[in-house]
Amino acid sequence: MKQKIFLVFFSMILVCSMLAGCKKSVGTPEDNAVVEEDPEEEEEDTGYVFGYSCIDMENPYFDTLRRSLENTLGENEYQLISKDSGSDAQAQNEQLEELIEMEVDAVFLCPVDWEMVTPALEALQAAGIPVINIDTQVKEESLTKAYIGSDNRNAGYVCGEDLKKRCPDGGKILLLESPSMNSINERITGFEQAIANAGFEVLDRADVNGEKEKAKETMEEFLKKYPEIDAVMCGNDRAALGTLEAVRESAREGIRIYGVDGSPEVKQEIAKADSPMTATGAQSPIRIGKEAAEIGIAILDGENFETTTYEDTFLIDKGNVEMYGTDGWQ
């Protein structure tokens, strides 16, 4: 009997000892050092994220500019976050604040209003986010790192030179402009310089904000007001297309329409023998976007870059439109 009790007691001690051996964390950490497996180190994300804020993405020019930026940044595996202000300066400022909150590395900016964007520029600078100003210059250039755009004054100038050749004795003209956009101001200034002292009379001028519908409405009023109009200079191709619709619906003839951009829609009109669309001061959003993206990357990489870049502009008319093609941007 005593032998059985001893065996049972011995067995219990043995089981307790085995259970104790299975415990992992008894006593101090030094007594129970646990070697944990190292988790796989996550690959550090070194890709830049850029923001893009433009005037109005419904304008094919700005959408083409966006795609050019995306293509060049994508080649380097960088990202682009796009914001469309819809020609609303206040909305653009709010969207730029959103980009600050998203902690983007840099911003590409086409301002709706070259002055009203200043508070957002100041906020971007305070956040340490560099701004690459493209297409339309801001008033406070010191708040941006670089500017990339077209030679806008020349774009208007070549249109004026063309009109002088077509109307050597001068004529009566209209100007559809946009004082809040410095790029359009430059185009109109270049046009006026070209036709100065050449017998032209400016019948009227109006702010159409570069918008097609507003240009159409304004031109409809001008057609009622002025029985004789020889030419209309528009600050961009969108305004020129709105002007074209108004002229066609009025059945008025002999009016020459000029735009600036070199958009596919306007080139298609120029190619038509009977179209009032005479010419456009062409620019290249594809080249501008590529150049801007490369400069943006250089800024973030701490490399040298050009602070001001002007891309060439040139005239497209019926004589050379087929050379540039009518189904895309140059």
Side-chain angles (χ1 to χ4, degrees), residues 229-247:
I229 302 170
D230 294 299
V232 185
M233 176 61 194
C234 304
N236 66 3
D237 277 0
R238 299 299 290 168
L241 288 167
T243 300
L244 176 65
E245 286 188 8
V247 170

Side-chain angles (χ1 to χ4, degrees), residues 15-269:
V15 170
C16 290
S17 298
M18 292 174 64
L19 290 172
C22 293
K23 291 185 179 178
K24 299 286 185 183
S25 304
V26 178
T28 65
E30 289 78 14
D31 294 333
N32 300 280
V34 178
V35 180
E36 296 182 357
E37 292 184 8
D38 291 333
E40 292 184 10
E41 294 184 5
E42 292 185 5
E43 192 174 313
E44 185 181 355
D45 181 12
T46 57
Y48 297 131
V49 177
F50 293 84
Y52 170 53
S53 176
C54 71
I55 296 173
D56 192 341
M57 211 80 80
E58 285 191 10
N59 184 336
Y61 173 86
F62 293 111
D63 188 48
T64 302
L65 190 53
R66 174 189 62 79
R67 285 186 279 114
S68 180
L69 287 167
E70 280 185 341
N71 289 341
T72 304
L73 294 174
E75 292 172 1
N76 296 275
E77 299 184 353
Y78 300 146
Q79 298 179 47
L80 183 70
I81 299 173
S82 298
K83 297 286 186 179
D84 180 8
S85 65
S87 295
D88 185 328
Q90 183 56 41
Q92 183 172 56
N93 282 1
E94 292 170 1
Q95 290 172 353
L96 288 169
E97 289 287 349
E98 291 172 7
L99 290 172
I100 292 172
E101 292 173 5
M102 297 173 74
E103 298 182 345
V104 297
D105 295 295
V107 167
F108 299 108
L109 172 66
C110 304
V112 173
D113 187 297
W114 75 319
E115 289 186 274
M116 287 182 65
V117 77
T118 300
L121 289 173
E122 292 171 340
L124 284 160
Q125 186 178 71
I129 299 174
V131 175
I132 301 94
N133 183 195
I134 50 180
D135 182 71
T136 300
Q137 286 176 298
V138 300
K139 187 169 186 179
E140 299 298 332
E141 296 177 28
S142 62
L143 296 174
T144 65
K145 284 288 187 181
Y147 171 75
I148 303 94
S150 298
D151 186 344
N152 285 300
R153 191 174 295 248
N154 183 66
Y157 190 87
V158 295
C159 291
E161 286 289 297
D162 184 76
L163 179 60
K164 284 197 300 185
K165 293 175 184 176
R166 297 177 190 276
C167 300
D169 297 325
K172 300 179 184 299
I173 61 175
L174 298 169
L175 303 176
L176 300 188
E177 53 194 351
S178 180
S180 67
M181 299 180 193
N182 192 49
S183 58
I184 290 182
N185 291 340
E186 289 287 304
R187 297 165 189 176
I188 297 298
T189 297
F191 178 82
E192 290 184 287
Q193 287 176 339
I195 65 169
N197 304 315
F200 290 96
E201 176 191 355
V202 177
L203 293 172
D204 216 330
R205 60 203 307 154
D207 177 7
V208 299
N209 202 37
E211 298 174 20
K212 181 179 178 181
E213 286 306 314
K214 195 168 182 179
K216 180 181 179 181
E217 293 169 4
T218 301
M219 190 61 195
E220 287 171 344
E221 293 301 316
F222 283 163
L223 286 165
K224 295 174 185 176
K225 187 176 180 180
Y226 301 107
E228 184 181 347
I229 302 170
D230 294 299
V232 185
M233 176 61 194
C234 304
N236 66 3
D237 277 0
R238 299 299 290 168
L241 288 167
T243 300
L244 176 65
E245 286 188 8
V247 170
R248 277 200 171 130
E249 290 174 9
S250 73
R252 288 272 290 270
E253 297 182 355
I255 299 176
R256 296 174 174 85
I257 301 172
Y258 290 84
V260 172
D261 278 334
S263 65
E265 287 179 280
V266 162
K267 288 189 291 185
Q268 288 164 16
E269 283 296 331

